[in-house]
Amino acid sequence: MAELLLAFDFGLRQIGVAIGSRLTQARPLTALVAQQGCPNWQKLSKLVENWQPKLLVVGLPLNMDGSEQPITQAARQFGVELQQRFALPVNLQDERLSTVEAKAHLFKQGGYRALKKTQIDALSATLILESWLATINPLANNP
């Protein structure tokens, strides 16, 4: 069985979550409500317990020029907190344009009505995981 991975699209009010593996396609899982970037750790713990991932990927919000923005440090801290709470490896992944891509995909699927914040964040987490998987195995998407 493939080792599962969880990915997170960090936000101050909501954190998108996706699941996938090196062998299966990533898919949106859920979005967790957060307060100032702090999720409900009990709900997040249940996700980790239920899915038993071997690795966590956190989207790193950067400006288009690669520079950091105020939320970047909060996302890094979220990754540190995940590693400390769950004793799992955490990798950071550049998430530039993941939200834009998620919105475009959802709009194409169902117009403005499909643009729900929870769906956008969960799909963004999926795109972050797919991007991370492509960087560790660049031939996976280009056979």
Side-chain angles (χ1 to χ4, degrees):
M1 187 169 126
E3 292 182 340
L4 291 177
L5 314 169
L6 281 180
F8 302 92
D9 177 32
F10 178 80
L12 296 177
R13 289 185 270 161
Q14 199 159 267
I15 299 170
V17 185
I19 187 104
S21 77
R22 291 180 169 108
L23 302 176
T24 62
Q25 188 172 5
R27 67 179 175 88
L29 194 57
T30 190
L32 302 170
V33 174
Q35 292 184 2
Q36 294 300 309
C38 184
N40 178 326
W41 287 106
Q42 202 168 22
K43 286 184 179 182
L44 204 151
S45 293
K46 284 189 185 228
L47 287 175
V48 171
E49 184 180 311
N50 288 341
W51 292 101
Q52 298 184 357
K54 300 300 179 203
L55 181 114
L56 307 174
V57 178
V58 175
L60 191 64
L62 299 169
N63 291 316
M64 288 307 294
D65 66 1
S67 63
E68 294 194 0
Q69 51 186 302
I71 197 170
T72 306
Q73 189 55 41
R76 287 184 193 281
Q77 186 56 44
F78 175 68
V80 168
E81 185 78 17
L82 286 171
Q83 195 281 323
Q84 290 173 344
R85 285 180 181 262
F86 303 114
L88 290 168
V90 174
N91 287 334
L92 301 175
Q93 177 64 32
D94 182 348
E95 69 165 43
R96 281 178 275 185
L97 297 178
S98 63
T99 300
V100 171
E101 189 177 338
K103 285 179 180 178
H105 177 78
L106 289 170
F107 183 80
K108 185 177 177 184
Q109 299 291 86
Y112 284 108
R113 286 180 282 176
L115 296 177
K116 293 180 176 62
K117 181 76 171 123
T118 55
Q119 290 178 312
I120 293 167
D121 291 337
L123 184 55
S124 291
T126 304
L127 297 170
I128 289 164
L129 183 53
E130 288 173 351
S131 174
W132 182 83
L133 288 166
T135 62
I136 62 156
N137 186 6
L139 298 179
N141 294 334
N142 301 313

